[in-house]
Amino acid sequence: MSRMKSGTRRKCSTCCSDGQQYNYHPSKEIFHHLFKRQYSGTCTNAQKIVNDYVSHQAPGLMKEKEYDLGSNNKVFASKWLDDKQVVFGTKCNKLMVMDVYTGRNIQIPSLKSSDESTPADCPCGIHAIALNPSESLLATGGENTNDLAIYMLPTFDPVMVGECSHSDWIFDIEWVDDEYVLTGSRDSQLALWKVDNLEKNESTESTSLQFPEYTIKKPEVVKLCDKAQKVRALCFDYNRKELGVLSLNAYFHIWDVESFSPVSSRKLFHSRENVCMAVSIDKTMYAVGSQSHINLVDPRSPNTLTTVISKYRGGGVRSLSFKGDILTIGTGVGHVLFFDVKGGKYIETECGDVCSLKVAKGWLLHDENYREFFMEHLYPNAIYTHQYDHTGTRLFTAGGPLPAGLWGNYAGLWY
């Protein structure tokens, strides 16, 4: 196991533009590509070279636009719907669609389960939003936070509620294809669901639901994830037909999706607060975020594990995503960081400081609980979710205060 050590921080606001700190030089790659194109007419891997260059340069050029989310509590999940709209879910169990140009928010009604469903104790909102490959369906949590809700896009017409599978909150959702979707829950179970052909226009027989009607379904299969204590995150590698499963007790599991059966489990070295995960299909690599480290896992090599030390170890890693060679890291202390996987270093400024986006202060409810327990301290926003648009040049970041006892929110767009 290898470790990436962190360097000494020095104040600077300008990002490195020449790649001189790395063995891999995106600027040189761009130069070589242009030179070859001019003199030989060849354009091998042109798009990848340009994407790599943009990924390295974009963080230092971004500025923030903050949004007013009213009195909503903590944004846990988000997805881009198109060039102008982002959908997000909150701890107070609201599904919202926001226009990033105007900042206007529209709440989407939650889907109710039938009387047969038993709600989870102490509901804790929407933790996951997932779009199917054709982006015609959206999956998220229902009014009961242990049930699945499916909406049709772009209209958000209700399609289905999946119930009677999980006894506790749904923590993550992954589509396998346009019809089948997986859920992972705090009850340590995985469930596979099938969304019926929409042309059948089936409706529920439940008398407790109001128009418009939608299907109520039970899962195709439910299985306990062995060795897992609370399934926390899912990532699907469609090339390898495998599902990466992260459990809160620091186990990383691989499941074969076609047989819906476990393949392997490994104990991660860093055991505290393993709450987020991302997959790079091109690199066959999973990134797992914990309180103080990021583990880079190769599922093909059981004994291979690279550890990246977090720059803000106390607040933990709260969200992760791959964009080419760049791993974007949302921390629990209001900073977004960028790690160059190919270069093996955090992206740095020209004077050696780590390139970091410090998010705005957001909104915090100053209620009796705040005044009694939290008033004497400052609490930056945890970045529970971040999403790049399809161009890779705009980054939506959102979250709220890290302590469970605080009520607040933050959302911003970096462009």
Side-chain angles (χ1 to χ4, degrees), residues 227 229 247-253 265-272 274 295 302 305:
K227 297 183 180 179
Q229 294 177 10
S247 53
L248 201 56
N249 60 332
Y251 269 91
F252 174 75
H253 318 263
S265 295
R266 71 169 78 175
K267 180 71 173 179
L268 299 174
F269 185 75
H270 306 285
S271 60
R272 300 188 65 181
N274 288 266
N295 290 315
L305 183 70

Side-chain angles (χ1 to χ4, degrees), residues 56-234:
H56 280 79
Q57 302 307 310
L61 305 175
M62 288 178 167
K63 60 181 179 180
E64 183 186 29
K65 176 182 179 179
E66 187 181 9
Y67 295 104
D68 181 1
L69 302 185
S71 59
N72 289 311
N73 189 24
K74 298 176 185 174
V75 179
F76 281 156
S78 64
K79 291 288 182 185
W80 284 87
L81 295 175
D82 52 38
D83 287 341
K84 63 179 294 186
Q85 290 183 315
V86 172
V87 59
F88 62 87
T90 70
K91 185 177 180 179
C92 50
N93 211 35
K94 292 180 181 178
L95 184 66
M96 310 289 293
V97 175
M98 183 175 69
D99 186 312
V100 297
Y101 293 110
T102 66
R104 182 187 177 195
N105 294 308
I106 299 174
Q107 184 175 350
I108 305 300
S110 298
L111 300 189
K112 295 183 179 180
S113 304
S114 74
D115 295 335
E116 190 176 347
S117 174
T118 302
D121 294 334
C122 303
C124 196
I126 294 172
H127 285 85
I129 297 173
L131 307 184
N132 68 343
S134 67
E135 298 187 356
S136 60
L137 296 172
L138 180 145
T140 187
E143 184 173 277
N144 291 355
T145 55
N146 53 321
D147 290 340
L148 175 69
I150 306 290
Y151 297 87
M152 185 183 297
L153 294 177
T155 60
F156 278 92
D157 289 335
V159 174
M160 186 189 101
V161 165
E163 63 179 33
C164 301
S165 63
H166 298 299
S167 60
D168 213 331
W169 316 331
I170 290 176
F171 265 146
D172 211 354
I173 302 169
E174 279 286 325
W175 287 90
V176 176
D177 54 30
D178 276 340
E179 289 185 297
Y180 287 92
V181 62
L182 292 157
T183 53
S185 169
R186 198 166 177 257
D187 65 6
S188 304
Q189 297 192 107
L190 300 173
L192 177 66
W193 309 83
K194 184 178 186 297
V195 181
D196 291 326
N197 189 336
L198 300 181
E199 295 178 358
K200 295 179 181 178
N201 196 28
E202 297 180 3
S203 62
T204 179
E205 298 178 358
S206 172
T207 58
S208 65
L209 300 175
Q210 299 178 349
F211 182 83
E213 296 180 330
Y214 44 86
T215 303
I216 297 287
K217 287 201 68 177
K218 292 180 172 60
E220 299 295 307
V221 61
V222 180
K223 289 188 177 182
L224 182 69
C225 187
D226 190 36
K227 297 183 180 179
Q229 294 177 10
K230 303 176 182 177
V231 171
R232 194 60 183 82
L234 306 175

Side-chain angles (χ1 to χ4, degrees), residues 12-13 45 79 87 137 202 214 243 254 260 329 333 353 376 389 400:
C12 183
S13 59
N45 295 326
K79 291 288 182 185
V87 59
L137 296 172
E202 297 180 3
Y214 44 86
L243 181 73
I254 292 293
F260 200 50
I329 304 162
V333 292
D353 195 12
E376 295 181 358
D389 71 353

Side-chain angles (χ1 to χ4, degrees), residues 324-345:
D325 292 323
I326 304 302
L327 177 65
T328 302
I329 304 162
T331 71
V333 292
H335 287 264
V336 180
L337 303 173
F338 306 90
F339 186 81
D340 180 359
V341 176
K342 194 170 185 177
K345 286 186 177 183

